[in-house]
Amino acid sequence: MDYVIGCDVGSQGTKVILVSLDGEVLCEVSEGYAIDYPHPLWAEQPVERWINAFGVAIRQLLAESGVKAQDIRGLSLATQVDGVIPIDAEGRALHPAIIWMDRRAGAQCESVRRSVGIEQVFQWTGLNLDAYHVAPKIRWLAEHHPDVYERARYFLLPGSYMAYYLTGEIAVDYSNASSTLLLDVHTRTWSTVMGNAFDIDMTRMAPLGAAAQPLGPIRQEIAEQLGLSPKTLVMIGCGDEHAACLGAGITQPGLVADIAGTAEPVCAASQEIAFDTTHLVETHCHADPDLWLLENPGFVSGGNYRWLREQFADGHTYAMLDTEAAAVPPGAEGLTFLPSLMGAMAPTWNEAARGTFAGFTLAHTRGHFVRALLEGSAYAVRDITTQMQASGLDLRELRVVGGGAKSRLWNQMKADVSGLPVSVPEVTETTALGAALLALVGTGAYVSLSEASDDIVHIRERIDPDVSVQPAYQEAYARYRQTYFALLPVFEETAGRSD
């Protein structure tokens, strides 16, 4: 029997899964790694962490499954988006990856705001002019490390770097490229206008291609290191939230993917290109070339929960903390959390915003803080789904995937707060599954991504909103928004950006 491997190279670890040609997941392995935070709002990872974790995971996957290397027909990547790695002409990384959550390049965005304007940028690219994206990070490198900029032959995204490591070939798919601020989202081509706006040499961006398009076989020396066959075909791959949508079955209208990982992208498929006039929701290319993806690329979410556990609940599992939170009533008895520890992506995009617990008293316990943190993410999801509906999308179901989907309490909160039924797929780690779907299509096992997704994705559980708690959540949600907007002047002044 033949197989493919789907690889999720994420922010806090790499997951690889083995999938048969009929879509059955047979084995999965994960390997974690750290994020470096050299300064506030900076976030970096040396590429060696990805490579080392990838190698450990692949070798363990082969050992545990017992599958022969020659039976692996294809491999595809789904990787964290919005990072950048400059490489020289020999392919050496010249700087640690500046990853998606890094917001250091605010000044570079401000310069383009003054010269071009945020509305024009949004109409060209479908994106907000935000340091979250790749172009300002490249400009920051040019201004702060001109030697690195000059030596760089390519500025690669994480997925392009990992695919290059495997094959020696350079490419980037449309979904990853559409989150750079350098792609004309209407034509799906690199934008000379945006390159000029950021003063970036666009010949240093990777050639564009479809996510399921074969890039090439694994290089002989890398295949030997990994225990794979050099005949195994590698696809170009796509962004992690784009693959997660494939693995969640978000290939038809009415479905929303809530990808509860380190960050929490919220995404809906559209057959037509569309733009949110408030800019809360961006317009990206879907991994499926026949679709568009309307999405908020994700506020930090699971990363917040991990931070709370590490700082204040040493030795506790997430399940134990969920139990404490479940004992607290909806609304956390007036305690409100803003999930803005690395800037805000909801209810507005604002890199000056900071994480906040508001309204706590001596009567509040750790369980209150946990519940407030989980509810804060649910409120941000509601911000986004409400705006999708206001933009004309008819939403009927929220599909929760990623590590956060394991929390029954959190899933129920999201149903109660959003008013949408929540569905949980059988396979919740849908990013790696989505990557495997790319490999299945790229090797010819399926004709299209929508066919593969429809055939392989199945729902395990459906959770309906509890109408009895919705009045409490209406009040708590209003308090969350009031708190956020009341604190905006404080955030702006603290960041040195007030008028």
Side-chain angles (χ1 to χ4, degrees):
M1 181 181 290
D2 289 340
Y3 307 88
V4 298
I5 296 176
C7 310
D8 169 12
V9 183
S11 306
Q12 298 182 117
T14 288
K15 176 183 285 291
V16 296
I17 64 172
L18 183 70
V19 179
S20 65
L21 295 193
D22 59 4
E24 182 184 1
V25 178
L26 302 171
C27 186
E28 61 181 59
V29 174
S30 298
E31 181 70 15
Y33 39 74
I35 301 171
D36 296 333
Y37 303 100
H39 301 283
L41 296 188
W42 289 31
E44 297 181 349
Q45 285 172 327
V47 295
E48 291 77 16
R49 286 187 194 158
W50 304 339
I51 291 171
N52 292 340
F54 184 85
V56 169
I58 289 289
R59 289 189 291 270
Q60 186 176 340
L61 184 80
L62 295 173
E64 290 187 6
S65 67
V67 169
K68 298 178 181 178
Q70 60 266 31
D71 293 334
I72 308 295
R73 284 179 51 181
L75 179 153
S76 191
L77 298 156
T79 52
Q80 51 173 297
V81 299
D82 284 302
V84 63
I85 308 101
I87 67 168
D88 65 15
E90 285 71 47
R92 293 180 296 242
L94 301 174
H95 191 278
I98 303 175
I99 69 170
W100 62 272
M101 67 172 70
D102 190 289
R103 306 292 272 274
R104 75 182 69 177
Q108 288 69 33
C109 289
E110 179 61 19
S111 176
V112 173
R113 185 193 68 78
R114 291 194 302 266
S115 63
V116 178
I118 57 175
E119 286 297 332
Q120 188 62 69
V121 169
F122 193 81
Q123 288 304 312
W124 284 335
T125 67
L127 306 180
N128 287 298
L129 184 56
D130 191 277
Y132 172 95
H133 294 303
V134 170
K137 292 169 181 169
I138 297 176
R139 187 71 239 146
W140 184 93
L141 283 169
E143 294 175 8
H144 292 267
H145 294 282
D147 57 324
V148 169
Y149 183 85
E150 291 303 323
R151 290 170 58 199
R153 173 61 188 91
Y154 286 105
F155 294 101
L156 298 184
L157 278 65
S160 298
Y161 181 84
M162 290 301 295
Y164 169 76
Y165 158 74
L166 290 171
T167 67
E169 302 293 332
I170 300 288
V172 65
D173 88 297
Y174 300 113
S175 73
N176 262 310
S178 70
S179 196
T180 61
L181 274 172
L182 293 171
L183 189 82
D184 183 329
V185 74
H186 301 273
T187 63
R188 304 191 194 204
T189 59
W190 290 124
S191 170
T192 302
V193 174
M194 289 304 299
N196 291 338
F198 281 100
D199 193 16
I200 293 171
D201 178 0
M202 295 301 289
T203 64
R204 304 191 199 188
M205 302 305 293
L208 295 158
Q213 178 182 324
L215 185 59
I218 300 177
R219 291 187 286 171
Q220 178 76 39
E221 64 271 27
I222 302 301
E224 291 175 357
Q225 293 172 19
L226 297 174
L228 292 171
S229 166
K231 295 182 180 180
T232 298
L233 201 58
V234 178
M235 313 310 141
I236 291 177
C238 68
D240 51 6
E241 70 255 36
H242 309 91
C245 288
L246 287 177
I250 309 300
T251 57
Q252 53 183 296
L255 304 178
V256 185
D258 173 34
I259 307 162
T262 304
E264 193 161 354
V266 180
C267 317
S270 175
Q271 293 178 327
E272 303 292 336
I273 192 169
F275 296 90
D276 168 23
T277 57
T278 73
H279 297 195
L280 179 62
V281 178
E282 294 187 321
T283 303
H284 290 225
C285 297
H286 200 291
D288 186 327
D290 295 327
L291 298 170
W292 304 93
L293 199 67
L294 304 182
E295 68 165 297
N296 181 290
F299 51 94
V300 179
S301 176
N304 298 336
Y305 203 2
R306 180 175 180 174
W307 168 84
L308 184 147
R309 188 184 71 161
E310 290 177 347
Q311 300 300 324
F312 305 109
D314 186 34
H316 285 64
T317 65
Y318 291 118
M320 293 164 65
L321 293 175
D322 275 12
T323 298
E324 292 184 16
V328 176
E333 295 189 304
L335 180 57
T336 299
F337 174 69
L338 304 182
S340 309
L341 273 69
M342 293 296 285
M345 304 292 277
T348 68
W349 288 53
N350 192 318
E351 65 197 49
R354 296 292 181 268
T356 304
F357 282 103
F360 58 93
T361 71
L362 293 176
H364 286 99
T365 66
R366 182 171 60 195
H368 287 83
F369 281 83
V370 174
R371 184 170 194 111
L373 184 144
L374 298 177
E375 289 178 342
S377 290
Y379 301 148
V381 170
R382 176 171 168 176
D383 287 332
I384 298 162
T385 57
T386 297
Q387 191 52 43
M388 287 178 170
Q389 291 167 323
S391 299
L393 295 184
D394 181 18
L395 306 183
R396 67 176 189 273
E397 181 182 312
L398 185 69
R399 290 191 177 177
V400 181
V401 300
K406 298 174 184 176
S407 172
R408 182 64 164 71
L409 174 68
W410 207 357
N411 293 339
Q412 184 67 61
M413 285 181 187
K414 290 172 181 176
D416 297 340
V417 169
S418 71
L420 294 170
V422 164
S423 293
V424 181
E426 287 182 356
V427 177
T428 57
E429 296 296 344
T430 58
T431 302
L433 178 60
L437 299 187
L438 296 177
L440 289 171
V441 172
T443 57
Y446 281 88
V447 174
S448 69
L449 290 169
S450 58
E451 178 195 19
S453 184
D454 290 346
D455 187 47
I456 292 170
V457 177
H458 303 286
I459 299 302
R460 182 189 75 211
E461 181 182 21
R462 178 185 170 95
I463 302 168
D464 291 317
D466 181 353
V467 295
S468 70
V469 302
Q470 288 185 322
Y473 275 131
Q474 285 289 93
E475 179 182 338
Y477 176 65
R479 185 171 62 246
Y480 149 86
R481 290 181 63 88
Q482 290 165 357
T483 301
Y484 176 84
F485 288 107
L487 286 175
L488 278 184
V490 178
F491 294 146
E492 296 287 349
E493 184 174 354
T494 302
R497 290 173 46 198
S498 64
D499 295 331

